[in-house]
Amino acid sequence: MSSTVTSEETARTAEFTVEGMTCASCVARVEKVLKRVPGVESVAVNLATEKATVHADASVSDDQLVAAIVKAGYEAARIVPEAPVPAVAAQTWDRELASVVASGVLTLPLLMPMFGVQISPWLQFALASIVQFGFGARFYVGGYRAVRAFAGNMDLLVALGTSAAWGSSVYQLLAHGGSMHLYFEASAVVITLVRFGKWLEMRAKRQTTDAIRALNALRPATARIRDSADPSREREIALADVRVGDIAVVRPGERVPVDGIVREGRSHIDESLITGESLPVAKEPGVRVTGGSVNREGLIAVETTAIGAETTLARIIRLVESAQAEKAPIQRLVDRVSAVFVPAILGIALVTLIGWLLHGAAGETALLNAVAVLVIACPCALGLATPTAIMAGTGVAARQGILIKDAQALEQAHAVSIVAFDKTGTLTSGRAAVVAFEVASGFDRLDALALAAAVQRSSDHPLAKAVVEAAEEARAARLDVSAARAIAGRGVEAIVGGKRVAIGSARWLAELGFTPPDALSKSASELESQGNTISWLIDHDSGVIALLAFGDTIKPTARAAIERLAAMGVKSALVTGDNAGSAHAVAQALDIAPEFVFAQTLPDDKARVVADLKRHGIVAMAGDGINDAPALAAADIGIAFASGTDVAMEAAGITLMRGDPSLVADAIDISRRTYRKIRQNLFWAFVYNLVGIPLAAFGLLDPMFAGAAMAFSSVSVVTNALLLRGWRGQAAETRTGNPITRPA
């Protein structure tokens, strides 16, 4: 395996697999030895993913870092860039389960004396020795590595505890024969239960990486490329051999192999695993498609625009991996505890042994109580509490179209108290639409709309397209038109049904000598004050027919998003470069308080507004444009829409794969749930040790039950984190409604 390395002249980032870690103490030790390597700036080691992420000077070689990890007693290997995430091999699972079963079979006879069935002491010795030094060998190996590195870990605690129980029993057997009670069952049961717990833990941890494996599985191995010399021929090549500009042919039912633009054909594409959009999206020539999505119907030809690490899917995978590898700020408390945990437990066990002996207890009793302390005090749960919750939370968020860049963003987002929204492209569609169409007295509305569409049908102007779309949405009749021509700076006119009809500005209206009715003039003033553009539909014979107002339509889910945030106790603000009239109109429609509306703000002004909003608490900024980048960076949490610009996405801690504002509330919700799981896990991990260790020290906990409790603690922490996988966002599917405001 080889390193994921992002190199610059002075620094780089490298990732390594680290095998052999068993608990939080192991994590602390690996981080400690790596930080000692000259040139290393920072290190983050993740117990759940068994990865180490190192930020270091370019002068630090991978071999130096691997050597440091190996010297600490672990196995390390560099991670290959963009290699598929390896699943735990089936044979490894089978081998581990077989070992647990075999150990259990050999341990069962040792429990028979507890039920009044006596077996030979020497048979007990034989069975217990096989379990102790055969199936328990891994604990000795791990414990030896820890001692060699002048540290401690879970393996050392288990090895010392079970060896003490086994050694005490051997002493009793040799000194007294079979006349004294033996404790072979204690050592064997502890080893069996701990190995069973680690097997369950391995299974559960694997599920936390399901999101990464699912994303990697979206990459097809090959692509069908049209021959540039002979377009009638197609050849299937490895995806790695595809180049920008190649035309990929995608048949129905196949995955789109590359990011690109549709050049031929029409289809519906299923992008659910990439954007979280549950319904297939219509695609036609000129529209972008994303590699990894599924072509549901017609054959399409896609011109490749991005390959390899530059594809959307590759970037998504990098973001999710980055979030899962990072260490959350709350983990620092765990690190401080882990640094002294094992030495402290060894000290408590020694005090327990001496204390019981001083109080006149038999040596066997004192030893068993000390063994119980060693066995129950496993720091595994502490090490798994935070990373498993983060992995589960970021994984399920990615499936819903929410990409969380790092653990810090995930942790901070739970405390957001105000979200500052950009307007254009975030709360609104970002394109012109007919927001009002009012007709003069005596004219039919649908007939007038059909007339307006006929005049504009031959134009490519955005406002002309908006009129045509509005007419088609309203199912207005399609009229024949001739002699259409544009009048620079004024509008468009054409002959429709023998009539000379025009659509143009108020200036042109005045030049032609027409005066609109008072009712329409009043409406025009109100609509203009809201930031809309006004045009007039004129019949040169009949005069003014209708008023058209063009504006940016509010997204269908925007109001629900603001309402949901309010229900979550989160305020909303509107920060836009548009005029005050347009800003306040949108704010009023979405029920955003006037004091939280900031209009005509330049990019730097947006950043200052966001900084000022921090007096209300943790601020998140949601936007999609280049002009939003300073504000996204200035906010505590930047939330960018992937439908916007790359600059905005780079500046944000959270990226939303759909242009649905409801995803903002979902992002905060999954953050809150994940943070809650982290706190629950840490609480139970700490409480478990705070309660269990005194019980064991005072002789109230048998070593066998201590072993079972230790195994259960790790499994319960991981299982609790996995409950996040059932989370489903409440973001509504975006629907395109009629953009025309119907008059009352």
Side-chain angles (χ1 to χ4, degrees):
M1 305 176 81
S2 154
S3 76
T4 298
V5 179
T6 309
S7 293
E8 296 180 12
E9 291 185 9
T10 58
R12 67 181 188 126
T13 299
E15 285 187 340
F16 303 85
T17 58
V18 183
E19 296 182 7
M21 295 190 299
T22 56
C23 62
S25 296
C26 296
V27 171
R29 186 158 77 257
V30 173
E31 290 185 344
K32 187 176 181 180
V33 298
L34 285 172
K35 287 177 181 177
R36 286 177 178 170
V37 177
V40 170
E41 297 174 0
S42 64
V43 180
V45 177
N46 190 313
L47 178 62
T49 59
E50 297 183 331
K51 285 183 181 180
T53 303
V54 183
H55 301 279
D57 292 342
S59 60
V60 181
S61 69
D62 291 331
D63 291 339
Q64 285 179 277
L65 299 172
V66 169
I69 298 172
V70 171
K71 187 176 180 180
Y74 303 93
E75 296 179 15
R78 298 171 298 179
I79 298 177
V80 178
E82 298 175 38
V85 176
V88 177
Q91 55 266 36
T92 303
W93 279 28
D94 294 341
R95 186 167 60 249
E96 185 67 20
L97 181 58
S99 296
V100 171
V101 172
S103 181
V105 169
L106 294 176
T107 300
L108 281 176
L110 299 175
L111 299 174
M112 293 176 66
M114 297 175 60
F115 301 98
V117 179
Q118 298 301 316
I119 63 172
S120 166
W122 290 102
L123 177 59
Q124 292 183 49
F125 166 75
L127 294 174
S129 297
I130 295 172
V131 174
Q132 183 72 36
F133 301 106
F135 298 106
R138 60 184 294 178
F139 301 115
Y140 286 100
V141 172
Y144 168 72
R145 289 174 175 171
V147 172
R148 190 180 64 184
F150 301 101
N153 63 2
M154 181 208 79
D155 290 332
L156 180 61
L157 296 180
V158 173
L160 287 175
T162 56
S163 295
W166 180 87
S168 173
S169 299
V170 170
Y171 170 78
Q172 295 289 357
L173 177 61
L174 295 176
H176 306 288
S179 60
M180 300 291 290
H181 180 73
L182 305 176
Y183 298 98
F184 284 123
E185 80 281 357
S187 63
V189 167
V190 167
I191 286 174
T192 301
L193 286 174
V194 172
R195 289 207 61 166
F196 179 59
K198 298 304 286 184
W199 178 77
L200 289 175
E201 179 188 307
M202 179 171 57
R203 282 191 61 202
K205 283 197 302 186
R206 181 181 182 275
Q207 295 179 51
T208 64
T209 61
D210 279 350
I212 294 289
R213 276 193 299 276
L215 288 169
N216 272 291
L218 298 182
R219 291 170 166 161
T222 61
R224 189 177 295 103
I225 300 299
R226 181 176 291 172
D227 194 317
S228 56
D230 183 3
S232 64
R233 295 181 56 192
E234 298 170 4
R235 53 195 176 92
E236 192 164 321
I237 63 174
L239 191 60
D241 295 330
V242 177
R243 295 292 176 262
V244 173
D246 286 349
I247 302 295
V249 179
V250 189
R251 296 171 180 171
E254 293 181 341
R255 289 199 180 278
V256 178
V258 296
D259 282 8
I261 299 174
V262 177
R263 293 305 183 200
E264 298 175 16
R266 284 176 166 76
S267 183
H268 280 78
I269 303 293
D270 182 353
E271 300 176 335
S272 57
L273 284 178
I274 297 172
T275 66
E277 173 70 63
S278 61
L279 297 178
V281 180
K283 302 291 182 181
E284 59 185 17
V287 176
R288 292 186 176 275
V289 292
T290 305
S293 53
V294 180
N295 182 17
R296 287 301 184 195
E297 42 192 56
L299 182 106
I300 57 174
V302 178
E303 180 182 348
T304 304
T305 58
I307 56 175
E310 300 307 313
T311 63
T312 300
L313 183 57
R315 292 167 64 190
I316 290 173
I317 292 172
R318 283 201 303 273
L319 279 172
V320 178
E321 285 180 331
S322 172
Q324 295 188 346
E326 288 287 334
K327 182 169 290 189
I330 197 174
Q331 183 72 16
R332 293 170 191 151
L333 172 63
V334 178
D335 293 344
R336 288 196 293 269
V337 172
S338 300
V340 298
F341 191 86
V342 173
I345 294 304
L346 291 174
I348 293 172
L350 182 61
V351 170
T352 300
L353 177 65
I354 295 172
W356 278 94
L357 291 174
L358 291 177
H359 280 76
E364 293 84 357
T365 301
L367 184 61
L368 282 178
N369 291 337
V371 168
V373 170
L374 291 173
V375 171
I376 197 169
C378 172
C380 292
L382 282 175
L384 293 169
T386 300
T388 51
I390 288 174
M391 291 172 69
T394 54
V396 72
R399 288 178 179 271
Q400 301 292 311
I402 302 167
L403 303 182
I404 300 171
K405 185 183 292 186
D406 52 47
Q408 184 171 349
L410 180 71
E411 186 171 323
Q412 279 191 311
H414 87 278
V416 166
S417 55
I418 184 166
V419 178
F421 287 94
D422 172 50
K423 182 178 77 69
T424 306
T426 302
L427 293 176
T428 65
S429 64
R431 61 189 183 89
V434 179
V435 296
F437 185 80
E438 299 183 21
V439 297
S441 177
F443 293 95
D444 180 78
R445 191 169 184 282
L446 270 181
D447 290 344
L449 189 55
L451 200 61
V455 174
Q456 299 279 37
R457 204 173 298 278
S458 60
S459 174
D460 289 330
H461 193 281
L463 298 187
K465 290 183 177 180
V467 174
V468 173
E469 288 177 6
E472 290 176 350
E473 183 72 25
R475 299 176 183 258
R478 189 181 181 105
L479 305 177
D480 293 329
V481 63
S482 62
R485 67 190 185 102
I487 310 297
R490 287 163 176 76
V492 180
E493 68 175 9
I495 304 300
V496 183
K499 296 180 180 180
R500 187 181 169 203
V501 182
I503 293 180
S505 63
R507 174 187 173 186
W508 196 21
L509 183 72
E511 289 177 356
L512 293 174
F514 293 109
T515 302
D518 291 342
L520 292 187
S521 292
K522 183 179 179 181
S523 293
S525 298
E526 292 176 355
L527 289 166
E528 277 187 312
S529 68
Q530 296 171 7
N532 297 304
T533 299
I534 304 299
S535 289
W536 299 92
L537 175 63
I538 311 160
D539 182 332
H540 281 266
D541 296 328
S542 306
V544 175
I545 298 176
L547 156 75
L548 297 92
F550 299 91
D552 195 1
T553 55
I554 296 173
K555 289 182 178 179
T557 59
R559 184 173 179 84
I562 302 300
E563 290 175 347
R564 186 170 169 222
L565 285 171
M568 296 168 66
V570 179
K571 298 183 179 71
S572 295
L574 184 62
V575 186
T576 178
D578 281 356
N579 62 70
S582 176
H584 282 282
V586 170
Q588 184 177 8
L590 298 178
D591 203 20
I592 295 175
E595 62 268 25
F596 289 118
V597 178
F598 305 90
Q600 294 178 309
T601 54
L602 298 173
D604 289 343
D605 294 330
K606 286 188 176 183
R608 283 193 289 271
V609 168
V610 167
D612 186 56
L613 286 173
K614 288 184 179 180
R615 69 181 188 275
H616 297 284
I618 301 296
V619 178
M621 173 69 195
D624 69 337
I626 292 176
N627 61 334
D628 296 323
L632 290 169
D636 296 296
I637 302 292
I639 303 176
F641 289 88
S643 55
T645 65
D646 290 345
V647 175
M649 291 173 64
E650 288 298 324
I654 298 175
T655 298
L656 308 179
M657 294 306 294
R658 300 197 309 277
D660 185 349
S662 292
L663 285 174
V664 174
D666 280 345
I668 295 174
D669 183 47
I670 188 58
S671 172
R672 289 181 176 181
R673 291 172 186 264
T674 303
Y675 192 69
R676 193 178 306 136
K677 288 297 180 188
I678 292 173
R679 287 187 297 181
Q680 288 172 0
N681 284 350
L682 289 176
F683 172 80
W684 288 113
F686 278 115
V687 166
Y688 164 82
N689 283 289
L690 288 174
V691 173
I693 292 172
L695 289 177
F698 286 105
L700 300 175
L701 200 62
D702 184 273
M704 289 187 293
F705 290 106
M710 186 194 74
F712 175 76
S713 68
S714 297
V715 175
S716 62
V717 163
V718 180
T719 303
N720 185 45
L722 288 175
L723 294 177
L724 286 169
R725 297 173 74 223
W727 177 81
R728 292 292 179 270
Q730 297 182 22
E733 297 297 337
T734 301
R735 295 288 181 268
T736 302
N738 191 336
I740 303 175
T741 302
R742 299 288 188 187

